[in-house]
Amino acid sequence: MRVEGRSMRTIWREGEAVAIIDQTRLPHELVTRRLQSSEEVAEAIRTMRVRGAPLIGAAAAYGMALAAARDAARETLEKAAATLVASRPTAVNLRWAVTRVMRAILAVEEKERPALAMREAGEIVEEDVAINRAIGEHGMGLIAAVSREKGRPVEILTHCNAGWLATVDWGTALAPVYRAFDEGIAVHVWVAETRPRNQGAHLTAWELAEHGVPHTLVVDSAAGHLMREGLVDLAIVGTDRTTAEGDVANKIGTYMKALAARDNGVPFYVAAPSPSIDWELGSGALIPIERRDPREVTHIEGWSEEGRRLVVRLSPERCPAVNYAFDVTPARLVTGFITERGVSAASRAGLLALFPEHRESATREERC
Ligand code: MRU
């Protein structure tokens, strides 16, 4: 997508290393960073320099390639894979990407592994871009239909950052918005700030502004009010893990928006690229929910008027806090999934109609 008028992705190869946009520095500074080992990639995922389910998967794939470039022995690769998979628990793309690279490279001789790992990672990256572009096409149809019906800008609510910064390019939930905007369909995005880390305020607001898409920032708890006032036509969010039954783990606060959408008759769509579907899980209750440092709740980070990064405490000293990073929205509250193969009902049957090749794994007994 565009940054200061130039095309940019979130992750790219730079010689023997991999480069990323350090998302902990946005929106105040655009800083890139070179990662030279799988440990550095794992650190970047853990600390959320790279974040968002698809981008975490792409970064982890490159992490495996960097590990193989150093030492392609099976034990070393297994250790690197375990460290990467443990770096964040909820987004299933991480396990999916690491497993895919491991499966490919363990099937060949050691000396062939470094080149093959890099090739496989490169393919995962390009596939992510293609998947998101296709999600954009399918989702644009939904926006265009509302635009035709209402004859005014389409009001879209989103949560967290499921834009291009959460992927290699285009985004998932925001891909339809960018495609519609680029086609000349008038849109306006309500950006929920997304406490505690404020990915909406920091990242979504930044990337929409860079692309010139009209948007307004609101606090998370404003979503219900906006819907009651008739100010939201569609909600579109991302997903970190969608089960075969259609339950959705996404950034904490997604569930409450889905409840408000249902009560107000607002269509609630989840943009779901296939690598974020966990075909081995049925119930969303089995999805591991990441718990992060309570300091992200008791403190807040911002930028002073003098242009300095500041972290300030919000709560009384030593105030107990808990920091659930994700919640699960049950399939019954989801109007549909926007996937790279089209829009499906939020159910096992709906997903399998688009992805029949998963029929077998989706009906196997659930993993614990
Ligand atoms: O904790 P984050 O910032 O990695 O969480 C990101 C989200 O919850 C996104 O909505 C999700 O990954 C889907 S993004 C395409």
Side-chain angles (χ1 to χ4, degrees):
M1 300 298 291
R2 289 200 291 274
V3 178
E4 292 162 10
R6 283 183 299 122
S7 272
M8 195 166 190
R9 285 183 172 183
T10 52
I11 193 162
W12 60 94
R13 274 187 71 181
E14 220 172 69
E16 299 304 300
V18 169
I20 57 161
I21 297 177
D22 183 346
Q23 299 194 21
T24 61
R25 308 286 285 272
L26 288 172
H28 310 294
E29 297 172 299
L30 179 61
V31 174
T32 64
R33 202 177 167 97
R34 271 168 74 85
L35 308 176
Q36 289 175 301
S37 65
S38 64
E39 291 82 9
E40 284 183 11
V41 173
E43 188 271 347
I45 295 173
R46 205 175 306 115
T47 56
M48 295 177 65
R49 297 184 199 283
V50 285
R51 29 71 48 205
L55 178 56
I56 290 171
Y62 274 138
M64 286 308 302
L66 294 174
R70 282 222 177 144
D71 178 359
R74 186 185 194 105
E75 312 79 76
T76 319
L77 292 171
E78 278 170 353
K79 218 180 273 169
T83 305
L84 285 163
V85 168
S87 58
R88 290 196 75 191
T90 301
V92 75
N93 309 56
L94 182 51
R95 187 191 74 207
W96 169 84
V98 168
T99 307
R100 177 167 153 179
V101 177
M102 278 294 266
R103 203 168 279 155
I105 61 180
L106 291 182
V108 300
E109 281 183 37
E110 214 172 295
K111 63 176 184 326
E112 295 173 44
R113 288 175 185 167
L116 180 59
M118 197 46 98
R119 205 160 55 239
E120 194 69 25
E123 277 172 24
I124 286 173
V125 161
E126 293 310 321
E127 281 171 28
D128 180 67
V129 178
I131 285 173
N132 301 331
R133 198 180 292 120
I135 286 176
E137 290 302 319
H138 296 301
M140 177 173 66
L142 301 169
I143 297 174
V146 178
S147 167
R148 280 193 300 274
E149 184 197 326
K150 309 265 179 185
R152 54 152 175 79
V154 181
E155 299 286 344
I156 300 156
L157 174 84
T158 193
H159 186 59
C160 192
N161 173 262
W164 71 271
L165 288 169
T167 64
V168 177
D169 208 351
W170 283 103
T172 59
L174 291 190
V177 172
Y178 288 126
R179 281 296 295 119
F181 177 80
D182 289 349
E183 283 300 312
I185 299 170
V187 291
H188 168 263
V189 182
W190 293 107
V191 177
E193 63 176 347
T194 319
R195 276 284 288 151
R197 287 186 67 103
N198 295 303
Q199 288 94 327
H202 291 173
L203 306 175
T204 301
W206 180 79
E207 60 164 88
L208 288 173
E210 288 293 328
H211 203 80
V213 179
H215 61 281
T216 306
L217 181 66
V218 288
V219 294
D220 290 319
S221 40
H225 175 71
L226 291 177
M227 292 187 202
R228 276 185 74 86
E229 292 287 302
L231 296 172
V232 181
D233 296 312
L234 288 175
I236 313 181
V237 301
T239 171
D240 286 80
R241 189 182 307 220
T242 298
T243 68
E245 295 286 351
D247 293 344
V248 174
N250 193 52
K251 181 54 54 193
I252 191 84
T254 303
Y255 173 48
M256 282 169 59
K257 289 185 171 66
L259 285 171
R262 173 56 54 94
D263 195 44
N264 289 282
V266 172
F268 187 88
Y269 285 97
V270 175
S274 58
S276 63
I277 302 172
D278 187 343
W279 297 101
E280 294 174 27
L281 282 193
S283 166
L286 297 172
I287 298 174
I289 299 295
E290 177 180 14
R291 278 211 211 178
R292 296 185 60 83
D293 189 344
R295 214 180 129 83
E296 292 178 355
V297 177
T298 55
H299 290 66
I300 199 160
E301 185 181 318
W303 204 247
S304 75
E305 294 300 336
E306 298 77 41
R308 265 186 323 116
R309 179 178 165 273
L310 286 182
V311 178
V312 296
R313 182 158 43 78
L314 295 169
S315 59
E317 246 182 301
R318 291 184 297 280
C319 174
V322 63
N323 187 6
Y324 295 100
F326 298 93
D327 58 25
V328 175
T329 300
R332 68 186 156 77
L333 296 180
V334 178
T335 307
F337 292 119
I338 311 170
T339 78
E340 68 268 30
R341 294 195 190 165
V343 180
S344 84
S347 63
R348 186 182 289 262
L351 286 169
L352 286 175
L354 290 183
F355 299 95
E357 68 273 29
H358 290 285
R359 204 165 284 280
E360 206 187 306
S361 52
T363 44
R364 250 189 265 130
E365 236 173 78
E366 286 188 355
R367 215 169 1 96
C368 291

